[in-house]
Each structure stands twice: as structure tokens, then as C-alpha cells.
Amino acid sequence: MKKSMLTALIALGFITPIITNTGASAVEFNQNEPNASAIIQKINQQQQKLPKLSEKQLKIQDSDIATWMPNPSLREAILGLLIQNGYLPEGSTVNDITKDLLASVDDGSIFDIDIDTFAGSEITPNIGEGLQYFNPEARVTMEISVADDSRAMQINFAQLHENVDRWDILVINPDKVGNSQLAQKIIDAKLPPKGNVKTLPSVYYLRANYTKNSNHIAPIFTESIDISNSLSPTINVTNDDFWKEIDQSLFLNSVVNSALIAKSNDYAILSPGSFFSFNQTSEGNFLGTLPDTEAIVDAMDRVNNAPQAYYTLLLQTNLYHDNQHQEILLGSSIYADFHK
């Protein structure tokens, strides 16, 4: 690690560091201009009064995972992934996780950490602390699911961003109020860019209820698409359809995409970007049309036969980009069913 100029000068003895809480004030040192030996003796006497950790205590502190990975939910998530990937045997506990073990995982191995507050996971400011001990050639990501984005406000985003390759926050809420303060806090953290689109961190607001199925969402339908007269309908959406409260002046490149989803298993018949095509017609307004392709014609025939079996995911994304710091994706999803 490169030393700062100040650190180097202190190490070489050219600058004496400020000693705090020693009881030896600058006024005491200036009286009668004592020599250097007297000053050093005074400091040593004061420092001897401070409690010192024994070698055993230091070793315990280093080995105690609660000390270097303080978030309990993160510890449990890491334990599960280490067992799943064969780095620890079944029946292991979090106390079996060591810094050396994390450093020894294989190059290119992937650890996708799920912090789900709906399932009881705990969010703390230092939620990313401890992940810096992973082999830097492994890929470590974190997805955080919350019902209220104010809970994510306490996260130290600078630390999290530094310790993982990518992080995402999902706000699953039927009211889906976009919190401008959360976006501003992330921007104010001035995160350094990682230079890879795969590492683009994101915050998504999903207009849905949380469920225990594999998809974890039950969409709330706020729009309905009429196919009674045409299987190539047009739809209009606005910024207000996606956001209740957000400062969009912080973002650029607002884009709307859509996907066709089967209700039975939440399977994407047509993935985002492959269904309705949207053009921005005026500030905050988007017009969606269906391209005349064989895939869409076939899909709409299926929708026509059973409109109640399908729905559309509409996703608006906004990009934060200031040419200096990490780009951040802010997304909002709403859902539309079909009727005729």
C-alpha cells in the first residue's frame, strides 16, 4: 500500500504525530522549553497508563469473526455459500470462517450474497465489512431486499462499494415511494468507478408484494392493456406512473422497456426490451408500440386466447453519470394486465 507523504515523514521521524488523550498538552511542553528527552519521557509515562492487548488477546480479536465481520446476516450468508461451494463441510458454523479461508477461495469463483430483510436479514451500516478478505480474483456480489428504502439509508455505501464487485438494492413495496434521499446519499458517497458495465450498482423499486416463491414478488397491477379491438395496442406511460417521489434531475438517459410474463410461473415469454418498444414523445411521456415480428405475433395470439394468464412488466431506468464517479442505475417497475 502506498504511504502518504505525511505517513512517510512520521515513520522517518521528521514529523512527530499528535498524541491525544495523554494528558500532556502543548502548553506543558512549551513551559521552560524542555529538551527532547524530557518530552519523550513524558509521553512514555502517559502511554504506559493506557491498557494494552496481550498477544493472546490480539490473536483472539483477529480470529473472532464477530469482530472483523460484524453483520450477523452476512456471516450466515457467507457460511451457507462456503458450504454450498465445498469450502466448508456440512455442520460448520460461522466460527469456522477465517480470513485465510476467504483469501484461499478459487480464482474466478462466484459468491452472490443475498441479504433479504423479509426473511429476517439484518441491515447495519457496516454490512460490507469483512468481504475485503476474499481472494480479489473471486467475484463477490450482494443483493439487498427491503420493504422500505429508508432502511437502506444507514448503509455505508463507500465501504460496500469497495468490498464487493457489485451491489443491488431491491425495494419491494406495493406503494413504491422512491426516496430521493437514498439516491442522493449514494451520489454523495462519490463512489469510484469500477469500469465494467457488469459492476454497475443499481436500486430498483418494484410495485409488488413480497412472496416466498422463487421470484419473491407478487405484482400489483396499476395499468391494464385493452386488446378487445387490436392485438397490436399502443400504451402511454409517464414518469408519474413510475415514481411518486424522486429527483429525476439527478439522472439522465431515462428509458422504458417491457417484458411479457406468464402469471403461472413468472416466466418471461419475451424478455425486457423484446416486447413493447417505447419512444419518449415529450418530457415525461412515453408511447409504447408492438413491433411487427413473428415472435410478438405468436405471443399476442397466446395472450388473446387467455388474457388472464399473462401480464406485462414495464421498467423505467435512469442512469446517474457525472464523468467522475461510479455510474448508478435507478429503476422502477410497474405492471399491467390484459383485458378485452
Side-chain angles (χ1 to χ4, degrees):
M1 182 175 65
K2 183 179 180 181
K3 294 182 178 179
S4 68
M5 182 63 72
L6 179 60
T7 302
L9 291 175
I10 290 175
L12 292 173
F14 291 109
I15 296 178
T16 302
I18 297 174
I19 307 297
T20 59
N21 298 322
T22 64
S25 68
V27 174
E28 288 181 90
F29 289 156
N30 289 333
Q31 289 177 351
N32 302 319
E33 298 182 356
N35 59 33
S37 297
I39 293 175
I40 293 172
Q41 183 179 6
K42 179 76 171 179
I43 292 174
N44 287 338
Q45 289 173 349
Q46 297 296 336
Q47 287 182 328
Q48 287 172 3
K49 298 177 182 178
L50 299 176
K52 294 183 179 180
L53 294 177
S54 67
E55 183 176 342
K56 182 178 180 180
Q57 288 173 317
L58 288 171
K59 186 174 181 180
I60 292 174
Q61 186 182 63
D62 185 63
S63 63
D64 181 12
I65 189 172
T67 300
W68 56 269
M69 187 180 287
N71 183 280
S73 300
L74 178 61
R75 297 196 293 268
E76 292 294 337
I78 294 299
L79 174 64
L81 291 171
L82 289 171
I83 293 174
Q84 177 184 321
N85 288 278
Y87 293 103
L88 284 175
E90 291 287 346
S92 297
T93 71
V94 294
N95 294 322
D96 296 311
I97 304 173
T98 65
K99 297 177 184 178
D100 288 341
L101 175 59
L102 299 186
S104 69
V105 302
D106 295 337
D107 290 0
S109 54
I110 299 174
F111 291 83
D112 293 323
I113 301 164
D114 185 18
I115 302 295
D116 186 350
T117 62
F118 294 94
S121 293
E122 182 181 347
I123 292 180
T124 56
N126 52 10
I127 196 168
E129 178 65 23
L131 297 177
Q132 69 269 34
Y133 299 111
F134 266 98
N135 175 359
E137 298 303 319
R139 177 171 169 80
V140 181
T141 69
M142 183 181 292
E143 181 177 279
I144 302 171
S145 300
V146 295
D148 181 355
D149 55 3
S150 64
R151 297 192 57 184
M153 284 288 291
Q154 61 183 300
I155 295 174
N156 181 336
F157 285 101
Q159 181 190 69
L160 176 62
H161 187 69
E162 180 179 3
N163 290 355
V164 300
D165 293 284
R166 172 178 173 155
W167 54 268
D168 299 284
I169 296 176
L170 302 182
V171 184
I172 304 173
N173 191 306
D175 295 323
K176 191 185 57 53
V177 177
N179 182 350
S180 295
Q181 291 180 328
L182 177 60
Q184 190 64 59
K185 176 172 182 175
I186 297 171
I187 291 170
D188 289 344
K190 300 186 184 304
L191 307 176
K194 292 189 181 253
N196 189 327
V197 68
K198 292 183 179 180
T199 65
L200 190 67
S202 59
V203 179
Y204 283 104
Y205 293 87
L206 310 180
R207 191 73 175 268
N209 286 311
Y210 179 85
T211 70
K212 293 185 178 180
N213 63 24
S214 59
N215 196 41
H216 288 327
I217 64 165
I220 301 295
F221 297 108
T222 58
E223 308 285 332
S224 188
I225 300 172
D226 186 356
I227 58 171
S228 59
N229 297 319
S230 173
L231 292 181
S232 297
T234 58
I235 57 176
N236 288 279
V237 291
T238 70
N239 284 331
D240 291 340
D241 292 320
F242 291 96
W243 302 103
K244 285 189 176 182
E245 175 197 335
I246 201 69
D247 183 358
Q248 288 187 303
S249 67
L250 300 173
F251 300 89
L252 50 86
N253 294 347
S254 181
V255 176
V256 176
N257 285 306
S258 72
L260 178 63
I261 313 291
K263 286 184 180 179
S264 60
N265 57 3
D266 294 308
Y267 176 75
I269 306 298
L270 294 172
S271 59
S274 302
F275 198 33
F276 279 94
S277 177
F278 285 88
N279 292 310
Q280 191 163 7
T281 56
S282 61
E283 186 175 353
N285 292 294
F286 301 86
L287 177 65
T289 57
L290 286 174
D292 186 17
T293 66
E294 183 177 349
I296 287 180
V297 170
D298 289 345
M300 289 307 295
D301 281 339
R302 295 165 68 174
V303 173
N304 186 47
N305 291 330
Q308 72 282 356
Y310 301 93
Y311 68 88
T312 301
L313 176 150
L314 301 170
L315 172 65
Q316 184 185 26
T317 55
N318 298 275
L319 181 69
Y320 172 75
H321 178 72
D322 65 0
N323 291 314
Q324 298 181 52
H325 303 101
Q326 174 65 56
E327 293 182 346
I328 301 164
L329 196 65
L330 187 72
S332 172
S333 293
I334 61 175
Y335 305 87
D337 59 11
F338 295 93
H339 72 274
K340 63 178 182 178

